[in-house]
Amino acid sequence: RAEFWCIVSGQCVLRVSPLEDEPKVNFMSERLIAGQIRTIDAGVAHQVKNDGDEPLVILEVQYGAPNERDIERLEDPYNRSE
């Protein structure tokens, strides 16, 4: 599935891998602030990190075929990986 993000409040760094076949390398980083929007294509590895002082609020809309099995935790300080 693809995702549409709107940054409602706060700021973050979005890391996106442009290579679908090698999602763990060559990440590109982009700073996002409140009011900005981004789309993330299906199958593209991505991570977000709140690097600001205020809470980060993201409105995320997923579209396409729903499939929670496509989630792969690349780095997770909360130990949510299986």
Side-chain angles (χ1 to χ4, degrees), residues 4 6-8 15 32 36 42 45 47-48 53 59 62 64 66 68 71 76-77 80 82:
F4 170 87
C6 176
I7 308 303
V8 177
R15 295 177 65 215
L32 299 175
Q36 289 187 290
Q47 296 176 313
V48 65
D53 295 329
L59 172 65
Q62 301 173 356
E68 291 298 316
I71 296 174
D76 188 1
R80 293 176 290 185
E82 295 181 48

Side-chain angles (χ1 to χ4, degrees), residues 15-29 41-46:
R15 295 177 65 215
V16 178
S17 174
L19 305 173
E20 290 185 37
D21 56 339
E22 296 183 45
K24 297 180 184 177
V25 297
N26 298 325
F27 277 90
M28 297 184 309
S29 295
D41 293 331
V44 173
H46 57 282

Side-chain angles (χ1 to χ4, degrees), residues 64-78:
N67 181 2
E68 291 298 316
R69 292 175 297 197
D70 68 349
I71 296 174
E72 178 183 354
R73 304 280 179 200
L74 301 179
E75 294 175 22
D76 188 1
Y78 305 106

Side-chain angles (χ1 to χ4, degrees), residues 7-12 32-35 50-57:
I7 308 303
V8 177
S9 64
Q11 65 182 28
C12 64
L32 299 175
I33 60 172
N50 180 357
D51 66 341
D53 295 329
E54 65 180 277
L56 173 64
V57 178

